[in-house]
Amino acid sequence: MTGQASTPLQRAARILEIIAAAPDGLSLSEVAERVGLPMPSALRLLRNLVDVGFVATEGRRARYRLGTRMQRMFQMSLGTERLRGICAPELQALADR
């Protein structure tokens, strides 16, 4: 992002990026710290992302992960043929072991 103030959409996109890069999910404080937002602002954005299915929470400590809606959008964007092309070499390597 630029040095200018970011919009809510830019902040939400940044949250999605950092959550996508965290396989074990992130806590609210981790999200807030990595995005550089106060925790109440990060929580408000996370709640909105959860409401639309882009982010999901799990566990008692509310670890945030990509939601099923975001995962479905990603899968649709790849398409079945492209996904096969991406996975085929890796699957063949596993089969050859």
Side-chain angles (χ1 to χ4, degrees), residues 1 8-21 26 31-32 35 37 41-46 49 55 64 66:
M1 284 187 242
L9 181 58
Q10 290 170 319
R11 292 188 294 271
R14 181 69 183 128
I15 287 173
L16 289 171
E17 289 173 348
I18 65 160
I19 289 174
L26 296 171
V31 171
V35 178
L37 290 173
S41 298
L43 179 59
R44 187 171 42 254
L45 285 167
L46 282 165
L49 291 168
V55 171
Y64 293 92
L66 287 184

Side-chain angles (χ1 to χ4, degrees), residues 79-96:
T80 306
E81 292 303 315
R82 184 164 179 218
L83 185 58
R84 281 188 191 133
I86 292 169
C87 296
E90 298 300 322
L91 291 173
Q92 188 61 51
L94 286 172
D96 292 343

Side-chain angles (χ1 to χ4, degrees), residues 12-73:
R14 181 69 183 128
I15 287 173
L16 289 171
E17 289 173 348
I18 65 160
I19 289 174
D24 295 327
L26 296 171
S27 68
L28 170 61
S29 61
E30 290 169 324
V31 171
E33 180 182 322
R34 292 181 190 190
V35 178
L37 290 173
M39 285 198 355
S41 298
L43 179 59
R44 187 171 42 254
L45 285 167
L46 282 165
R47 284 183 176 162
N48 287 327
L49 291 168
V50 167
D51 286 346
V52 297
F54 288 172
V55 171
T57 60
E58 67 176 39
R60 289 180 1 168
R61 295 184 181 226
R63 306 276 308 165
Y64 293 92
R65 297 177 178 266
L66 287 184
T68 56
R69 187 173 184 191
M70 183 60 68
Q71 293 170 5
R72 281 192 315 265
M73 289 172 56

